[in-house]
Amino acid sequence: MKHFLEVFMHIIFLISACISILAVALICIFLFANGIPPMFEIGLGEFLGGTLWKPTNLIFGIFPMILGSIVVTLGALVVGVPAGIFCAIFMAFFCPKKLYRVLKPAVNLLAGIPSIVYGFFGLMVLVPLSQEIFGGGGKGILTASVLLGIMILPTIIGVCESSLRAVPTQYYEGALALGDTHEKSIFRTVLPAAKSGIMAAVILGVGRAVGETMAVVMVAGNQPILPQGLLMGVRTLTSNIVLEMGYAQDLHREALIATGVVLFFFILIINMVFFLVQRRKEK
Amino acid sequence: MSRFRNKPLSLFLWLLVHLAACFTLLVLISLIIYILVKGVPNLKPSLFAWEYTSENASMMPAIINTFGMTFLALLFSVPIGICSAIYLVEYAKRGNKLVGIVRLTTETLSGIPSIVYGLFGFLLFAVQLKWGYSFLGGALTLAIMVLPLVMRTTEEALKSVPDLYREGSFGLGAGKLRTVRCIVLPAAVPGILSGVILGIGRIVGETAALLYSAGTVTGIAKDLFSSGRTLSVHLYALWNEGLYTNEAYGTAAVLLIVVLLINTAASAIAKKLTKE
């Protein structure tokens, strides 16, 4: 009897472990089965390369949204990566212990705040700020980039900090012994040694920025046109889905699911690059 | 700062690093203050009325739905997450191919954006299974979404239990299952708990995955197959309709307070864990 229970639970544990495989398989099957046929129905070139998105006229070109996602993500990296890396350096090498006890939970809290709350923050603070400084509507690439840059901060800080701490202290001490200052030792010796970890952090940040939906919808302006300028509105792949899925019918709905498939491809590629970087790090 | 004399580069780097840290703290503090200052004055008793009407955009049904949704999603994800972590840590032999695949898929799952989960939930539960916008569909979608989080924290917690415990238990003649159930799991409970609380935080804050799986109906969900909106979805809907700005600010404040409480609980447990 006891032996039976052992075997039974072993099987239960095994099945549970397989559920995540099943989940990924289901997600792939349902997205691809529903999203790839409409791509060919619209025409692959027209869908991916078309610059017009007019669902009422059955014109579905998502190139503006692809470009929008890329532009906003690059903007987020410009804001978030330097701030994140420097903040991680501060936490690993400059921070007094007492301050660390405040700063570490603060960064964790930043990671835990829902994206819709970030969206409201952007709407209440960043949009008026942009209106005041640059004039215009305030919603656009710049605002979205700054907000996304803030949102990827905790991811970048967390991963960078742990990879900086993983660098052997001998590196730092050696540089110090050769006469470098504290700052130069860190920037010239420790930072390059943590390169692959920092790369991983940036890739994770890219993944978060590309996939972010609710905050971007609220501050990006959402015009489905090619990005015109830093202050002009832009629509990303994610906001395209969330804005129109509620009322879309027939081919329009299928085109939105196909947009999701394109987004999914982007994420899979980012994940793959992440794995490659991780593997190189382990070697 | 005499140590920076004749060392402008070092001074510059020192400044840069401190500025970045100040920026991070400043962002967090201003975010919390703005949301609370704008939101708390808008909190009136009527916002917590039991019924949502077009005159009074009460958030009470949404709060109740949030509790239900959290409970339901955890009901699926926590047992599965813990069981699969047990398999990965305690049962799988070293070099097992399956472990590599499971790791790969959980990493993939944790990288998928919430809107893609939302589309998946819509396609599988609402369309394929013909449930329409349903509470259960939303909960299952969220369960898949937080599964990697629960798995990873449980794995970490199990790994941190010293092997001496296991060896002692085996030495006294206990079987594998008994060792896991009576020795390893109890020792790992605080770690698992802090993972579950982080999962709750994600469920409470999630919007995009629920919008098209559980839908946006304003009332309390009557059963598992009817639609109901959680607090985050409620907030998005208020913003989207554009009619209830003050109510939206109030709702944002409540949501932020809930998330703050959840995070405090998680870090308190984590702190207790490191002390012991």
Side-chain angles (χ1 to χ4, degrees), chain A:
Chain A
M1 187 61 208
K2 233 176 197 171
H3 184 69
F4 167 75
L5 197 64
E6 288 275 351
V7 174
F8 178 73
M9 284 313 286
H10 190 142
I11 293 170
I12 293 280
F13 293 145
L14 180 64
I15 291 173
S16 304
C18 292
I19 282 188
S20 65
I21 303 175
L22 179 76
V24 171
L26 274 178
I27 291 174
C28 288
I29 291 169
F30 272 89
L31 276 180
F32 292 156
N34 288 286
I36 290 181
M39 279 191 203
F40 289 101
E41 199 175 321
I42 296 162
L44 204 56
E46 203 178 313
F47 181 67
L48 294 175
T51 54
L52 274 181
W53 175 266
K54 284 186 177 161
T56 41
N57 302 348
L58 294 181
I59 302 174
F60 303 102
I62 61 162
F63 189 66
M65 279 69 110
I66 294 178
L67 213 57
S69 278
I70 293 174
V71 166
V72 168
T73 302
L74 286 179
L77 292 183
V78 169
V79 176
V81 169
I85 292 177
F86 290 141
C87 190
I89 292 175
F90 178 81
M91 288 173 74
F93 299 110
F94 288 84
C95 194
K97 254 201 178 133
K98 267 190 185 156
L99 184 60
Y100 189 80
R101 256 180 256 147
V102 182
L103 202 56
K104 187 72 187 169
V107 172
N108 285 341
L109 190 60
L110 267 182
I113 291 175
S115 51
I116 186 107
V117 173
Y118 273 109
F120 261 77
F121 172 70
L123 215 55
M124 287 190 306
V125 180
L126 298 180
V127 171
L129 204 65
S130 159
Q131 281 171 345
E132 203 143 291
I133 300 173
F134 304 108
K139 292 184 184 181
I141 295 174
L142 185 69
T143 324
S145 299
V146 172
L147 188 62
L148 274 179
I150 291 171
M151 292 180 72
I152 63 173
L153 261 184
T155 313
I156 292 182
I157 293 173
V159 180
C160 277
E161 195 203 336
S162 55
S163 67
L164 283 170
R165 283 187 191 279
V167 175
T169 45
Q170 284 93 322
Y171 285 34
Y172 166 74
E173 284 159 4
L176 214 56
L178 288 173
D180 260 350
T181 59
H182 177 58
E183 288 77 16
K184 271 193 191 163
S185 311
I186 290 163
F187 274 85
R188 283 209 189 138
T189 315
V190 182
L191 199 59
K195 202 171 54 191
S196 60
I198 292 169
M199 267 304 286
V202 173
I203 297 166
L204 277 183
V206 170
R208 244 203 114 175
V210 170
E212 185 45 55
T213 315
M214 304 322 283
V216 177
V217 166
M218 295 170 90
V219 298
N222 300 328
Q223 292 88 331
I225 45 169
L226 286 171
Q228 312 274 317
L230 271 184
L231 298 174
M232 307 300 264
V234 68
R235 185 185 283 198
T236 62
L237 290 168
T238 50
S239 30
N240 194 35
I241 302 168
V242 94
L243 282 167
E244 298 184 1
M245 198 66 195
Y247 60 84
Q249 297 292 331
D250 306 325
L251 189 62
H252 183 194
R253 197 175 87 180
E254 285 168 16
L256 291 175
I257 295 166
T259 312
V261 172
V262 173
L263 176 67
F264 191 51
F265 264 121
F266 269 94
I267 295 294
L268 286 181
I269 291 170
I270 293 167
N271 269 347
M272 218 126 70
V273 175
F274 179 73
F275 282 128
L276 290 180
V277 170
Q278 287 290 82
R279 186 169 293 174
R280 226 181 55 189
K281 200 168 99 182
E282 273 161 27
K283 270 181 189 169

Side-chain angles (χ1 to χ4, degrees), chain B residues 48-53 58-69 135 214 216-230 234:
Chain B
F48 297 96
W50 292 106
E51 291 278 327
Y52 176 101
T53 57
S58 165
M59 63 174 105
M60 204 60 195
I63 291 176
I64 293 166
N65 281 338
T66 309
F67 275 112
M69 185 65 81
F135 212 65
T216 54
V217 168
T218 54
I220 300 170
K222 284 177 217 71
D223 53 51
L224 289 180
F225 294 100
S226 55
S227 163
R229 54 160 81 152
T230 65
H234 178 65

